[in-house]
Structure formats: C-alpha cells, structure tokens
Amino acid sequence: MSPAPGVVSPRRFMPKFHYELLACGFQGHRLIGTEAAQFRDEDALFARELDGIRWHRCVRCDSWLPMPAPDEPASQYPPSRAEISLPLRGKGLRDKFVLRVIAIDRAFHFVVLAVLAAAVFLLRANVTELHDAFYRVLADLQGGAGGASPEVQAGLLGEVSNLLSLRPGTLELVGAGFAAYAVLEGAEAVGLWLQKRWAEYLTFIATALLLPLEVYELSRSISPFKVSALIINLAILVYLLIAKRLFGVRGGADADVSDRERDSGWDSLERTAPERMTSTVS
C-alpha cells in the first residue's frame, strides 16, 4: 500500500511534490457521504465511523478528516460508486496542472502577438501621416527642418524610421504573420487547457520549429529574457516528449492512458486505502 500524500517525511534535497495537496488547497477536499445518516460496509473506502467519530477520506489527496454527523441527513446512505465522479489524481492531475501552465504561457503570447498585429495593420492604414509626423517631430527636436541626421540611423529612432520606411505591402505581410502566429498560439492555449492530444503535438512542433530562430538571436546578443525563453521552451519540449510520450516515445499514447488509469479511479483508492480498524470501545 502506498503512503498517503503529506504523511511521509520529505527527502532532504528533493521532496516529492504532491499535486493532490495543491489541488485540495485551491479547491478544498473532495469528501463523500458527509450528508448521509449511516455508512455501509461498502462505504468504508471513503467513509468510516470509529468510536463514535465519523471519518471521511478525501478521494483526491487521501487525507482523513473527522466530520460531525448531519443534524438533518440528506440521504440514508452515501451515493453508490456509479453515482460518484472521482477527481483526477496522480499523473492525470500532474498533467492537468503542467499543461494549463503552458496554456497560460501560450495565451500570453497570443495577446502580445494579437496586439502587435493590430498595431501593424493600424500603421499600414496611417503610414503616410505617421511618416510625415515622425520626421516633423524629429526635425523640431534636432533644431532644424532638414532630413534625418546620422544619429537617427541607430537606436530606437532608427528602428522607428526603418519601420515607417517599409512598403505598404511589406507591412501587410508582417501584420499577417503576426496574426497567423497569434491564431496558432491561441489554438495551442485552448487545446492545452482542455488537455487535447492534438494540442500537445501542435505545441511541440511549433516550439521546435522556433528553436533555431531563438538560438540565432542568442548568437547575435544575449539577454536574460532570451535565455529564459530558450530554457522554458526546451523544458516544454522535454516534458511533452518524455512525460506525455509523444511520437511513440516510452510506449506512446497507450502507455500514457494506462498511467492515468492506474493513478485514478476506484482501483487506485483501493490500493491506497488503510486497513479497517475495530472500535476500541467495548
């Protein structure tokens, strides 16, 4: 029998992280039969009465909690197993947390790219006015009415100048590229949040295709943001390939489903249930 989470002293350097405890911390324990008047023998897996104290087992994190009997029971007995929807545990719960963290990252990318696409299309629609206004302001700042001085060719002003000098067709392509990439990131975010297998493949392929560009950018200049982005994307690739068993790695989808079924359901609760104790009151 596996020990319940939270009752084993953690290892010194690498304590095991229990997603069940995290989920219960956010959502509360999942207890069954708290409104029932009596327990049956078949309910001992998740609810017991010992020495006049009713104990309820959280079917997610395996914690046993003492609860008072209801003053006005809603039913005679707890619901049958067929009527109970068990929460995720083990690998299934871990995957849900990790995939949703990745989904949030992709959703942030979607928002940024969508804003950039909108900005480029807005620039395309008003490029002539913005071009003239930019150089008028620049001339005023430089104290003259002539064209851009050599100092404009570097730094932020140079980047703005280059952007305003792009052809309208080029701006349309840039905006379309940002928009398409935003749609891709949005699809990844939604699919990963819903834990869809296709979204895992889509995220892996899209992330892998962008790695050469990230490495190239690092070869030009190194910044904490670029390094962090590369590390995060590498971690996502490793997780999807190894933990989610994409492309048949470590048994593929069948092994992934088998692991999830092993850690969830009534069989998992049976394996981790403590033995029944008899009352100490004679």
Side-chain angles (χ1 to χ4, degrees):
M1 180 184 71
S2 301
V7 301
V8 179
S9 298
R11 288 174 290 179
R12 181 177 180 184
F13 297 110
M14 292 293 291
K16 184 177 180 181
F17 188 83
H18 292 285
Y19 289 91
E20 295 85 357
L21 297 176
L22 180 61
C24 287
F26 279 111
Q27 303 174 3
H29 293 296
R30 287 288 301 274
L31 307 177
I32 301 172
T34 57
E35 297 299 319
Q38 294 179 310
F39 300 146
R40 302 158 296 192
D41 288 342
E42 62 194 76
D43 302 325
L45 190 62
F46 53 79
R48 304 176 184 183
E49 185 168 350
L50 183 64
D51 294 339
I53 301 176
R54 291 164 57 112
W55 292 88
H56 293 267
R57 178 190 187 185
C58 174
V59 292
R60 178 166 40 218
C61 75
D62 287 332
S63 298
W64 285 86
L65 306 174
M67 299 285 291
D71 295 330
E72 298 181 1
S75 60
Q76 184 66 22
Y77 301 109
S80 64
R81 293 189 181 185
E83 301 175 276
I84 299 171
S85 177
L86 293 175
L88 287 175
R89 293 158 50 96
K91 185 180 186 302
L93 184 59
R94 181 203 69 185
D95 289 344
K96 181 178 180 178
F97 268 103
V98 176
L99 290 177
R100 289 196 167 181
V101 168
I102 301 174
I104 292 172
D105 173 73
R106 293 307 189 248
F108 175 75
H109 291 174
F110 165 78
V111 172
V112 172
L113 290 166
V115 170
L116 288 175
V120 171
F121 284 124
L122 183 62
L123 174 63
R124 166 63 182 86
N126 302 275
V127 64
T128 302
E129 294 83 352
L130 291 172
H131 181 277
D132 295 341
F134 171 75
Y135 282 104
R136 281 199 303 270
V137 172
L138 185 61
D140 292 340
L141 291 175
Q142 292 176 337
S149 67
E151 290 83 358
V152 179
Q153 306 307 319
L156 179 60
L157 293 180
E159 295 297 331
V160 175
S161 177
N162 293 334
L163 182 62
L164 293 175
S165 300
L166 292 177
R167 296 176 180 273
T170 303
L171 287 174
E172 292 174 357
L173 289 176
V174 172
F178 280 135
Y181 193 17
V183 171
L184 175 64
E185 295 289 271
E188 291 178 34
V190 173
L192 291 173
W193 188 269
L194 298 176
Q195 296 181 270
K196 300 299 183 180
R197 189 74 172 175
W198 60 262
E200 298 170 5
Y201 278 101
L202 179 62
T203 301
F204 183 91
I205 294 172
T207 303
L209 290 177
L210 287 176
L211 277 184
L213 178 60
E214 293 183 0
V215 174
Y216 171 72
E217 286 295 327
L218 277 174
S219 68
R220 296 181 59 189
S221 63
I222 297 178
S223 68
F225 175 78
K226 292 179 181 180
V227 173
S228 299
L230 179 61
I231 292 174
I232 290 174
N233 285 333
L234 286 174
I236 290 173
L237 290 177
V238 172
Y239 168 78
L240 292 175
L241 186 64
I242 304 301
K244 296 300 295 176
R245 305 170 188 265
L246 299 186
F247 305 102
V249 173
R250 299 178 61 225
D254 291 341
D256 185 65
V257 172
S258 177
D259 284 348
R260 291 167 63 93
E261 292 177 346
R262 180 200 63 208
D263 293 341
S264 300
W266 293 106
D267 289 341
S268 172
L269 293 176
E270 292 279 6
R271 289 196 305 271
T272 57
E275 297 180 1
R276 294 196 61 178
M277 297 178 62
T278 59
S279 175
T280 59
V281 178
S282 57

